[in-house]
Amino acid sequence: VLYMTLKEVLIDFCEGNELSYSDDYSGRCMYGHTCFSITCDTPMSTLVQLCDCIRDCGFSNAYNVLGSSRQDSMGMSSVLYFPYAELDAIAEED
């Protein structure tokens, strides 16, 4: 069984859905700290799909590894970012 880290799942999710993934987004009130982000057109739909994908990949609870999400508007698009995500978390065995 191949275990994936959360970061690998996120990158695969973004590639499969033609979304932009970044490792170095610094959102509002982050004061220079960076985290991963996903640029998308439909943030709520993207978040639901992301949580489903994380669960399907073997993580028992998406919130436990993602933490709370935040959102910034980027004109026509939005940026979902997750300051507390545990990118090194590994999916659990079935």
Side-chain angles (χ1 to χ4, degrees):
V1 174
L2 177 63
Y3 297 103
M4 296 179 72
T5 64
L6 177 62
K7 181 175 180 176
E8 292 168 327
V9 170
L10 296 169
I11 291 170
D12 285 351
F13 172 81
C14 289
E15 289 175 354
N17 290 284
E18 298 180 4
L19 300 169
S20 296
Y21 173 91
S22 174
D23 267 335
D24 59 359
Y25 186 76
S26 183
R28 290 176 294 189
C29 300
M30 288 187 62
Y31 308 106
H33 294 278
T34 59
C35 63
F36 94 86
S37 67
I38 298 172
T39 303
C40 60
D41 294 331
T42 56
M44 286 303 293
S45 176
T46 299
L47 183 58
V48 169
Q49 291 173 1
L50 176 61
C51 289
D52 287 345
C53 174
I54 289 170
R55 184 194 64 236
D56 292 347
C57 287
F59 291 92
S60 61
N61 186 320
Y63 183 78
N64 287 346
V65 291
L66 287 177
S68 59
S69 65
R70 297 182 185 173
Q71 176 183 334
D72 285 344
S73 177
M74 301 294 282
M76 297 292 287
S77 299
S78 294
V79 175
L80 283 174
Y81 59 105
F82 303 82
Y84 308 107
E86 297 178 26
L87 295 179
D88 294 330
I90 297 175
E92 300 170 2
E93 186 175 2
D94 291 342

Coordinates of all heavy atoms in Angstrom, one line a residue:
V1 N 0.8 -1.2 0.0 CA 0.0 0.0 0.0 C 0.9 1.2 0.0 O 1.8 1.3 0.8 CB -0.9 0.0 1.2 CG1 -1.7 1.3 1.3 CG2 -1.8 -1.2 1.2
L2 N 0.6 2.2 -0.9 CA 1.3 3.4 -1.0 C 0.6 4.5 -0.2 O -0.5 4.8 -0.4 CB 1.4 3.9 -2.5 CG 2.1 5.2 -2.7 CD1 3.6 5.1 -2.3 CD2 2.0 5.5 -4.2
Y3 N 1.3 5.0 0.8 CA 0.7 6.1 1.6 C 1.2 7.4 1.1 O 2.3 7.6 0.8 CB 1.2 5.9 3.1 CG 0.7 4.6 3.7 CD1 1.6 3.6 3.8 CD2 -0.6 4.5 4.1 CE1 1.1 2.4 4.4 CE2 -1.1 3.3 4.6 CZ -0.2 2.3 4.8 OH -0.7 1.1 5.3
M4 N 0.2 8.3 1.0 CA 0.5 9.7 0.5 C 0.5 10.7 1.6 O -0.3 10.6 2.5 CB -0.5 10.0 -0.6 CG -0.5 9.2 -1.8 SD -1.8 9.6 -3.0 CE -1.1 11.2 -3.6
T5 N 1.3 11.7 1.5 CA 1.2 12.8 2.4 C 0.1 13.7 2.0 O -0.3 13.7 0.8 CB 2.6 13.6 2.4 OG1 2.8 14.2 1.1 CG2 3.7 12.7 2.8
L6 N -0.3 14.5 2.9 CA -1.4 15.5 2.5 C -0.9 16.4 1.4 O -1.7 16.7 0.5 CB -1.7 16.3 3.8 CG -2.8 17.4 3.5 CD1 -4.1 16.8 3.0 CD2 -2.9 18.3 4.7
K7 N 0.3 16.8 1.4 CA 0.8 17.7 0.3 C 0.7 16.9 -1.1 O 0.3 17.6 -2.0 CB 2.3 18.0 0.6 CG 2.8 18.9 -0.5 CD 4.2 19.4 -0.2 CE 4.8 20.3 -1.2 NZ 6.1 20.8 -0.9
E8 N 1.0 15.7 -1.1 CA 0.9 14.9 -2.4 C -0.6 14.8 -2.8 O -0.9 15.0 -4.0 CB 1.5 13.5 -2.2 CG 3.0 13.5 -2.1 CD 3.5 12.2 -1.6 OE1 2.8 11.4 -0.9 OE2 4.7 11.9 -2.0
V9 N -1.5 14.6 -1.9 CA -2.9 14.6 -2.2 C -3.4 15.9 -2.7 O -4.1 16.0 -3.7 CB -3.7 14.2 -1.0 CG1 -5.2 14.4 -1.2 CG2 -3.4 12.7 -0.6
L10 N -2.9 17.0 -2.1 CA -3.3 18.4 -2.5 C -2.8 18.7 -3.9 O -3.6 19.2 -4.8 CB -2.8 19.4 -1.6 CG -3.3 19.3 -0.1 CD1 -2.5 20.2 0.8 CD2 -4.8 19.6 -0.1
I11 N -1.6 18.3 -4.2 CA -1.0 18.6 -5.6 C -1.8 17.8 -6.6 O -2.2 18.3 -7.7 CB 0.5 18.3 -5.6 CG1 1.2 19.4 -4.7 CG2 1.0 18.3 -7.0 CD1 2.7 19.1 -4.5
D12 N -2.0 16.5 -6.3 CA -2.8 15.7 -7.3 C -4.2 16.2 -7.5 O -4.7 16.2 -8.6 CB -2.9 14.2 -6.8 CG -1.6 13.4 -6.9 OD1 -0.7 13.9 -7.6 OD2 -1.5 12.3 -6.4
F13 N -4.8 16.6 -6.4 CA -6.2 17.2 -6.5 C -6.2 18.4 -7.4 O -7.0 18.6 -8.3 CB -6.7 17.6 -5.1 CG -8.0 18.4 -5.1 CD1 -9.2 17.7 -5.3 CD2 -8.0 19.7 -5.0 CE1 -10.4 18.4 -5.3 CE2 -9.2 20.4 -5.0 CZ -10.4 19.8 -5.2
C14 N -5.2 19.3 -7.2 CA -5.2 20.5 -8.0 C -4.9 20.2 -9.5 O -5.5 20.8 -10.4 CB -4.1 21.5 -7.5 SG -4.6 22.2 -5.9
E15 N -3.9 19.3 -9.7 CA -3.6 18.9 -11.1 C -4.8 18.3 -11.8 O -5.1 18.6 -12.9 CB -2.4 18.0 -11.1 CG -1.1 18.7 -10.8 CD 0.1 17.7 -10.7 OE1 -0.1 16.5 -10.8 OE2 1.2 18.2 -10.6
G16 N -5.5 17.4 -11.1 CA -6.7 16.8 -11.6 C -7.9 17.7 -11.9 O -8.8 17.3 -12.7
N17 N -7.9 18.8 -11.2 CA -9.0 19.7 -11.4 C -8.6 21.1 -12.0 O -9.4 22.0 -12.0 CB -9.7 20.0 -10.0 CG -10.4 18.8 -9.5 OD1 -11.5 18.5 -10.0 ND2 -9.8 18.1 -8.6
E18 N -7.4 21.1 -12.6 CA -6.9 22.3 -13.3 C -7.0 23.5 -12.4 O -7.4 24.6 -12.8 CB -7.6 22.5 -14.6 CG -7.4 21.3 -15.6 CD -8.1 21.5 -16.9 OE1 -8.7 22.6 -17.1 OE2 -8.1 20.6 -17.7
L19 N -6.5 23.3 -11.1 CA -6.4 24.4 -10.2 C -5.0 24.8 -9.9 O -4.1 23.9 -10.1 CB -7.1 24.0 -8.9 CG -8.6 23.7 -9.0 CD1 -9.1 23.0 -7.7 CD2 -9.4 24.9 -9.3
S20 N -4.7 26.0 -9.4 CA -3.4 26.4 -9.1 C -3.1 26.1 -7.6 O -3.8 26.6 -6.8 CB -3.2 27.9 -9.4 OG -3.3 28.1 -10.8
Y21 N -2.0 25.4 -7.4 CA -1.5 25.1 -6.0 C -0.3 25.9 -5.8 O 0.6 26.1 -6.6 CB -1.1 23.6 -5.9 CG -0.5 23.2 -4.6 CD1 -1.2 22.8 -3.6 CD2 0.9 23.3 -4.5 CE1 -0.6 22.4 -2.4 CE2 1.5 23.0 -3.3 CZ 0.8 22.5 -2.2 OH 1.4 22.2 -1.1
S22 N -0.2 26.5 -4.6 CA 1.0 27.2 -4.2 C 1.4 26.8 -2.8 O 0.6 26.6 -1.9 CB 0.8 28.7 -4.2 OG 1.9 29.5 -3.7
D23 N 2.7 26.8 -2.5 CA 3.3 26.5 -1.2 C 3.6 27.7 -0.4 O 3.9 27.6 0.8 CB 4.6 25.7 -1.3 CG 4.4 24.2 -1.3 OD1 3.4 23.7 -0.7 OD2 5.2 23.5 -1.9
D24 N 3.6 28.9 -1.0 CA 4.1 30.0 -0.3 C 3.2 31.2 -0.3 O 3.6 32.4 -0.5 CB 5.4 30.4 -1.0 CG 5.3 30.7 -2.4 OD1 4.2 30.6 -3.0 OD2 6.4 31.1 -3.0
Y25 N 1.9 31.0 -0.1 CA 0.9 32.1 0.0 C 0.9 32.7 1.4 O 1.0 32.0 2.4 CB -0.5 31.6 -0.3 CG -1.5 32.7 -0.4 CD1 -1.5 33.5 -1.5 CD2 -2.4 32.9 0.6 CE1 -2.4 34.5 -1.6 CE2 -3.3 34.0 0.5 CZ -3.3 34.8 -0.6 OH -4.2 35.8 -0.7
S26 N 0.9 34.0 1.4 CA 0.9 34.7 2.7 C -0.4 35.6 2.7 O -0.5 36.6 2.0 CB 2.1 35.6 2.9 OG 2.0 36.2 4.2
G27 N -1.4 35.1 3.4 CA -2.7 35.8 3.4 C -2.8 36.9 4.4 O -1.8 37.2 5.1
R28 N -4.0 37.5 4.5 CA -4.2 38.6 5.5 C -3.9 38.1 6.9 O -4.2 37.0 7.3 CB -5.7 39.0 5.4 CG -6.0 39.7 4.1 CD -7.5 40.0 4.1 NE -8.2 38.7 4.1 CZ -9.5 38.6 3.9 NH1 -10.3 39.6 3.7 NH2 -10.1 37.4 3.8
C29 N -3.3 39.0 7.6 CA -2.9 38.8 9.0 C -2.0 37.7 9.3 O -1.9 37.1 10.4 CB -4.2 38.7 9.9 SG -5.3 40.1 9.8
M30 N -1.2 37.2 8.2 CA -0.3 36.2 8.4 C 1.1 36.7 8.7 O 2.0 36.0 9.0 CB -0.3 35.2 7.2 CG -1.5 34.4 7.2 SD -1.5 33.1 5.9 CE -0.1 32.1 6.4
Y31 N 1.3 38.0 8.5 CA 2.6 38.7 8.8 C 3.8 38.0 8.3 O 4.8 37.8 9.0 CB 2.6 38.9 10.3 CG 1.4 39.5 10.9 CD1 0.5 38.8 11.6 CD2 1.1 40.9 10.6 CE1 -0.7 39.4 12.1 CE2 -0.1 41.5 11.1 CZ -1.0 40.7 11.8 OH -2.1 41.3 12.3
G32 N 3.8 37.6 7.0 CA 4.9 37.0 6.4 C 5.0 35.5 6.5 O 5.8 34.9 5.8
H33 N 4.2 34.9 7.3 CA 4.2 33.4 7.4 C 3.5 32.9 6.1 O 2.7 33.6 5.5 CB 3.4 32.9 8.6 CG 4.1 33.2 9.9 ND1 5.1 32.4 10.4 CD2 3.9 34.2 10.8 CE1 5.5 33.0 11.5 NE2 4.8 34.0 11.8
T34 N 3.9 31.8 5.6 CA 3.3 31.2 4.4 C 2.6 29.9 4.6 O 2.9 29.2 5.6 CB 4.4 31.1 3.3 OG1 5.4 30.2 3.8 CG2 5.0 32.4 2.9
C35 N 1.8 29.5 3.7 CA 1.1 28.3 3.8 C 0.7 27.9 2.3 O 0.9 28.6 1.4 CB -0.2 28.4 4.6 SG -1.4 29.5 4.0
F36 N 0.0 26.7 2.2 CA -0.4 26.3 0.9 C -1.7 27.0 0.6 O -2.5 27.3 1.4 CB -0.5 24.8 0.8 CG -1.9 24.2 1.0 CD1 -2.8 24.1 0.0 CD2 -2.2 23.7 2.3 CE1 -4.0 23.5 0.3 CE2 -3.4 23.2 2.5 CZ -4.4 23.1 1.5
S37 N -1.9 27.2 -0.7 CA -3.2 27.8 -1.2 C -3.6 27.1 -2.5 O -2.8 26.5 -3.2 CB -3.0 29.3 -1.4 OG -2.1 29.5 -2.5
I38 N -4.9 27.3 -2.8 CA -5.5 26.8 -4.0 C -6.2 28.0 -4.6 O -7.1 28.6 -4.0 CB -6.5 25.7 -3.8 CG1 -5.7 24.5 -3.2 CG2 -7.2 25.3 -5.1 CD1 -6.7 23.3 -2.8
T39 N -5.9 28.4 -5.9 CA -6.6 29.4 -6.6 C -7.7 28.8 -7.4 O -7.5 27.8 -8.1 CB -5.7 30.2 -7.5 OG1 -4.6 30.7 -6.7 CG2 -6.4 31.4 -8.2
C40 N -9.0 29.3 -7.2 CA -10.1 28.7 -7.9 C -11.2 29.7 -8.2 O -11.1 30.8 -7.7 CB -10.7 27.6 -7.0 SG -11.2 28.1 -5.4
D41 N -12.2 29.3 -8.9 CA -13.3 30.2 -9.2 C -14.5 30.0 -8.3 O -15.3 30.9 -8.0 CB -13.8 30.0 -10.7 CG -12.8 30.4 -11.7 OD1 -12.0 31.4 -11.3 OD2 -12.7 29.9 -12.8
T42 N -14.6 28.8 -7.7 CA -15.8 28.5 -6.8 C -15.3 27.9 -5.5 O -15.1 26.7 -5.4 CB -16.7 27.4 -7.5 OG1 -15.9 26.3 -7.9 CG2 -17.3 28.0 -8.8
P43 N -14.9 28.8 -4.6 CA -14.2 28.3 -3.4 C -15.0 27.3 -2.5 O -14.5 26.3 -2.0 CB -14.0 29.6 -2.6 CG -14.7 30.7 -3.2 CD -15.1 30.2 -4.6
M44 N -16.3 27.5 -2.4 CA -17.1 26.5 -1.5 C -17.1 25.2 -2.2 O -16.9 24.1 -1.5 CB -18.5 27.1 -1.3 CG -18.5 28.2 -0.3 SD -17.8 27.7 1.3 CE -19.0 26.5 1.9
S45 N -17.4 25.1 -3.5 CA -17.4 23.9 -4.2 C -16.1 23.2 -4.2 O -15.9 22.0 -4.0 CB -17.9 24.1 -5.7 OG -17.8 22.9 -6.4
T46 N -15.0 24.0 -4.4 CA -13.7 23.4 -4.3 C -13.3 22.9 -3.0 O -12.8 21.8 -2.8 CB -12.6 24.5 -4.7 OG1 -12.9 25.0 -6.0 CG2 -11.2 24.0 -4.7
L47 N -13.7 23.6 -1.9 CA -13.5 23.1 -0.5 C -14.2 21.8 -0.3 O -13.6 20.8 0.3 CB -13.9 24.1 0.5 CG -13.6 23.8 1.9 CD1 -12.1 23.6 2.2 CD2 -14.1 25.0 2.8
V48 N -15.5 21.6 -0.7 CA -16.2 20.4 -0.5 C -15.5 19.3 -1.3 O -15.3 18.2 -0.8 CB -17.7 20.6 -1.0 CG1 -18.4 19.2 -1.0 CG2 -18.4 21.5 0.0
Q49 N -15.2 19.5 -2.5 CA -14.5 18.5 -3.3 C -13.1 18.1 -2.7 O -12.8 16.9 -2.7 CB -14.3 19.0 -4.8 CG -15.6 19.1 -5.5 CD -15.4 19.8 -6.9 OE1 -14.2 20.1 -7.3 NE2 -16.4 20.0 -7.6
L50 N -12.4 19.1 -2.2 CA -11.1 18.8 -1.6 C -11.3 17.9 -0.4 O -10.6 16.9 -0.2 CB -10.4 20.1 -1.2 CG -9.1 20.0 -0.4 CD1 -8.1 19.3 -1.3 CD2 -8.6 21.4 -0.1
C51 N -12.3 18.2 0.5 CA -12.5 17.4 1.7 C -12.9 16.0 1.3 O -12.4 15.0 1.9 CB -13.6 18.0 2.5 SG -13.0 19.5 3.4
D52 N -13.7 15.8 0.3 CA -14.1 14.5 -0.2 C -12.9 13.7 -0.7 O -12.7 12.6 -0.4 CB -15.1 14.5 -1.4 CG -16.5 14.9 -0.9 OD1 -16.8 14.8 0.3 OD2 -17.3 15.3 -1.8
C53 N -12.0 14.4 -1.4 CA -10.8 13.8 -2.0 C -9.9 13.4 -0.8 O -9.3 12.3 -0.8 CB -10.1 14.8 -2.9 SG -8.5 14.2 -3.5
I54 N -9.7 14.2 0.2 CA -8.8 13.9 1.3 C -9.3 12.7 2.0 O -8.6 11.8 2.4 CB -8.7 15.1 2.2 CG1 -7.9 16.2 1.6 CG2 -8.1 14.7 3.6 CD1 -7.8 17.5 2.3
R55 N -10.6 12.6 2.3 CA -11.2 11.5 2.9 C -11.1 10.2 2.1 O -10.7 9.1 2.6 CB -12.7 11.7 3.2 CG -13.4 10.5 3.9 CD -14.9 10.6 3.9 NE -15.4 10.4 2.5 CZ -16.2 11.3 1.9 NH1 -16.6 12.4 2.5 NH2 -16.5 11.1 0.7
D56 N -11.3 10.3 0.8 CA -11.2 9.2 -0.2 C -9.7 8.7 -0.2 O -9.5 7.5 -0.6 CB -11.6 9.5 -1.6 CG -13.2 9.7 -1.6 OD1 -13.9 9.4 -0.6 OD2 -13.6 10.3 -2.6
C57 N -8.8 9.5 0.1 CA -7.3 9.1 0.0 C -6.8 8.5 1.3 O -5.7 8.2 1.5 CB -6.5 10.3 -0.4 SG -6.7 10.8 -2.1
G58 N -7.7 8.3 2.3 CA -7.4 7.6 3.5 C -7.2 8.5 4.8 O -6.8 7.9 5.8
F59 N -7.5 9.7 4.7 CA -7.4 10.6 5.9 C -8.8 10.5 6.6 O -9.8 10.7 5.9 CB -7.1 12.0 5.6 CG -5.7 12.2 5.1 CD1 -5.4 12.1 3.8 CD2 -4.7 12.4 6.0 CE1 -4.1 12.3 3.3 CE2 -3.4 12.6 5.6 CZ -3.1 12.5 4.2
S60 N -8.9 10.2 7.8 CA -10.2 10.0 8.5 C -11.0 11.3 8.7 O -12.2 11.3 8.7 CB -10.0 9.3 9.9 OG -9.2 10.2 10.7
N61 N -10.3 12.5 8.8 CA -11.0 13.7 9.0 C -10.2 14.8 8.3 O -9.1 15.2 8.8 CB -11.1 13.9 10.5 CG -11.9 15.1 10.9 OD1 -11.8 16.2 10.2 ND2 -12.7 15.0 11.9
A62 N -10.8 15.4 7.3 CA -10.1 16.5 6.6 C -9.8 17.7 7.4 O -8.7 18.3 7.3 CB -11.0 16.9 5.4
Y63 N -10.7 18.0 8.4 CA -10.4 19.2 9.2 C -9.2 19.0 10.1 O -8.5 19.9 10.4 CB -11.7 19.5 10.1 CG -11.5 20.7 10.9 CD1 -11.6 22.0 10.3 CD2 -11.1 20.7 12.2 CE1 -11.4 23.2 11.1 CE2 -10.9 21.8 13.0 CZ -11.0 23.0 12.4 OH -10.8 24.2 13.2
N64 N -9.0 17.8 10.6 CA -7.8 17.5 11.4 C -6.5 17.8 10.7 O -5.5 18.2 11.4 CB -7.9 16.1 11.9 CG -8.9 15.8 13.0 OD1 -9.5 16.8 13.5 ND2 -9.2 14.6 13.2
V65 N -6.4 17.6 9.4 CA -5.2 17.8 8.7 C -5.1 19.2 8.0 O -4.1 19.7 7.8 CB -4.8 16.7 7.7 CG1 -4.5 15.4 8.4 CG2 -5.9 16.5 6.7
L66 N -6.3 19.7 7.6 CA -6.3 21.0 7.0 C -6.4 22.2 7.9 O -5.9 23.2 7.7 CB -7.5 21.1 6.0 CG -7.5 20.3 4.8 CD1 -8.8 20.5 4.0 CD2 -6.3 20.7 3.9
G67 N -7.1 22.0 9.0 CA -7.4 23.1 9.9 C -8.4 24.0 9.3 O -9.0 23.7 8.3
S68 N -8.6 25.2 9.8 CA -9.6 26.1 9.3 C -9.1 26.7 8.0 O -7.9 27.0 7.9 CB -10.0 27.1 10.3 OG -8.9 27.9 10.7
S69 N -10.0 27.0 7.1 CA -9.6 27.6 5.8 C -9.9 29.1 5.9 O -10.7 29.5 6.7 CB -10.4 27.0 4.6 OG -11.8 27.2 4.8
R70 N -9.2 29.8 5.0 CA -9.5 31.2 4.8 C -9.6 31.5 3.3 O -9.2 30.7 2.5 CB -8.3 32.1 5.4 CG -8.2 31.9 6.9 CD -7.1 32.8 7.5 NE -6.9 32.5 8.9 CZ -5.9 33.1 9.5 NH1 -5.0 33.9 8.9 NH2 -5.7 32.8 10.8
Q71 N -10.1 32.6 3.0 CA -10.3 32.9 1.6 C -10.0 34.4 1.3 O -10.4 35.3 2.1 CB -11.8 32.6 1.3 CG -12.2 33.0 -0.1 CD -13.7 32.7 -0.3 OE1 -14.3 31.9 0.3 NE2 -14.3 33.4 -1.3
D72 N -9.3 34.7 0.2 CA -9.1 36.0 -0.3 C -9.6 36.1 -1.7 O -9.6 35.2 -2.4 CB -7.6 36.4 -0.3 CG -7.0 36.6 1.1 OD1 -7.7 36.8 2.0 OD2 -5.7 36.6 1.2
S73 N -10.1 37.3 -2.0 CA -10.6 37.5 -3.4 C -9.4 38.0 -4.2 O -8.6 38.8 -3.8 CB -11.7 38.6 -3.4 OG -12.1 38.9 -4.7
M74 N -9.4 37.5 -5.4 CA -8.3 37.8 -6.4 C -8.9 38.3 -7.7 O -8.7 37.8 -8.7 CB -7.4 36.6 -6.6 CG -6.7 36.1 -5.4 SD -5.6 37.1 -4.6 CE -4.2 37.0 -5.7
G75 N -9.8 39.3 -7.6 CA -10.5 39.8 -8.8 C -11.6 38.8 -9.2 O -12.6 38.6 -8.5
M76 N -11.4 38.1 -10.3 CA -12.4 37.1 -10.8 C -12.2 35.8 -10.0 O -13.2 34.9 -10.1 CB -12.2 36.9 -12.3 CG -12.5 38.1 -13.1 SD -14.2 38.6 -13.1 CE -14.9 37.4 -14.1
S77 N -11.1 35.5 -9.4 CA -10.9 34.2 -8.7 C -10.8 34.4 -7.2 O -10.8 35.6 -6.8 CB -9.6 33.6 -9.2 OG -9.6 33.3 -10.6
S78 N -10.7 33.3 -6.5 CA -10.5 33.4 -5.1 C -9.3 32.5 -4.7 O -8.9 31.6 -5.5 CB -11.7 32.8 -4.4 OG -12.8 33.7 -4.6
V79 N -8.7 32.8 -3.6 CA -7.7 31.9 -3.1 C -8.1 31.3 -1.8 O -8.5 32.0 -0.8 CB -6.4 32.7 -2.8 CG1 -5.3 31.9 -2.2 CG2 -5.9 33.3 -4.1
L80 N -8.1 30.0 -1.7 CA -8.4 29.3 -0.5 C -7.0 29.0 0.1 O -6.2 28.5 -0.6 CB -9.1 27.9 -0.7 CG -10.6 27.9 -1.1 CD1 -11.0 26.5 -1.5 CD2 -11.4 28.4 0.1
Y81 N -6.9 29.3 1.4 CA -5.6 29.0 2.0 C -5.8 28.4 3.4 O -6.8 28.6 4.0 CB -4.6 30.2 2.0 CG -5.1 31.5 2.7 CD1 -4.5 31.8 3.9 CD2 -6.0 32.3 2.1 CE1 -4.9 33.0 4.5 CE2 -6.4 33.5 2.7 CZ -5.8 33.8 3.9 OH -6.2 35.0 4.5
F82 N -4.8 27.7 3.9 CA -4.9 26.9 5.1 C -3.7 27.0 5.9 O -2.7 26.3 5.8 CB -5.1 25.4 4.7 CG -6.3 25.2 3.8 CD1 -6.2 25.4 2.4 CD2 -7.5 24.7 4.3 CE1 -7.3 25.2 1.6 CE2 -8.6 24.5 3.5 CZ -8.5 24.7 2.1
P83 N -3.7 28.1 6.8 CA -2.5 28.4 7.6 C -2.1 27.3 8.6 O -0.9 27.2 9.0 CB -2.9 29.6 8.4 CG -4.0 30.2 7.7 CD -4.7 29.1 7.0
Y84 N -3.0 26.4 8.9 CA -2.7 25.4 9.9 C -2.6 23.9 9.4 O -2.6 23.0 10.1 CB -3.7 25.4 11.1 CG -3.9 26.8 11.6 CD1 -5.0 27.6 11.3 CD2 -2.9 27.4 12.3 CE1 -5.1 28.9 11.7 CE2 -3.0 28.7 12.8 CZ -4.1 29.5 12.5 OH -4.3 30.7 13.0
A85 N -2.6 23.8 8.1 CA -2.5 22.5 7.5 C -1.3 21.7 7.8 O -0.2 22.3 7.9 CB -2.6 22.6 5.9
E86 N -1.4 20.4 8.0 CA -0.3 19.5 8.3 C 0.1 18.8 7.0 O -0.3 17.7 6.8 CB -0.7 18.5 9.4 CG -1.0 19.2 10.7 CD -1.5 18.1 11.7 OE1 -1.1 17.0 11.6 OE2 -2.3 18.5 12.6
L87 N 0.9 19.5 6.2 CA 1.3 19.0 4.9 C 2.1 17.6 5.0 O 2.0 16.9 4.0 CB 2.1 20.0 4.1 CG 1.3 21.3 3.8 CD1 2.3 22.2 3.0 CD2 0.1 21.0 3.0
D88 N 2.7 17.3 6.1 CA 3.5 16.1 6.2 C 2.6 14.9 6.7 O 3.1 13.8 6.9 CB 4.7 16.3 7.1 CG 5.7 17.2 6.5 OD1 5.8 17.3 5.3 OD2 6.4 17.9 7.3
A89 N 1.4 15.2 7.1 CA 0.5 14.1 7.6 C 0.4 13.0 6.5 O 0.3 13.3 5.3 CB -0.9 14.7 7.9
I90 N 0.3 11.8 7.0 CA 0.2 10.6 6.1 C -1.1 10.0 6.2 O -1.6 9.8 7.4 CB 1.4 9.7 6.4 CG1 2.7 10.3 6.1 CG2 1.2 8.4 5.6 CD1 3.9 9.5 6.5
A91 N -1.7 9.6 5.1 CA -3.0 8.9 5.1 C -2.9 7.6 5.9 O -1.9 7.0 6.0 CB -3.4 8.6 3.7
E92 N -4.0 7.3 6.6 CA -4.0 6.1 7.5 C -4.3 4.9 6.6 O -4.9 4.9 5.6 CB -5.1 6.3 8.5 CG -4.9 7.5 9.4 CD -6.1 7.8 10.3 OE1 -7.1 7.1 10.2 OE2 -6.0 8.8 11.0
E93 N -3.9 3.7 7.2 CA -4.2 2.4 6.5 C -5.7 2.1 6.7 O -6.3 2.4 7.7 CB -3.4 1.3 7.1 CG -3.5 0.0 6.4 CD -2.5 -1.0 7.0 OE1 -1.8 -0.7 8.0 OE2 -2.4 -2.1 6.5
D94 N -6.3 1.5 5.6 CA -7.7 1.1 5.7 C -7.8 -0.1 6.6 O -7.0 -0.9 6.8 CB -8.2 0.6 4.3 CG -8.3 1.8 3.4 OD1 -8.3 3.0 3.9 OD2 -8.3 1.6 2.1

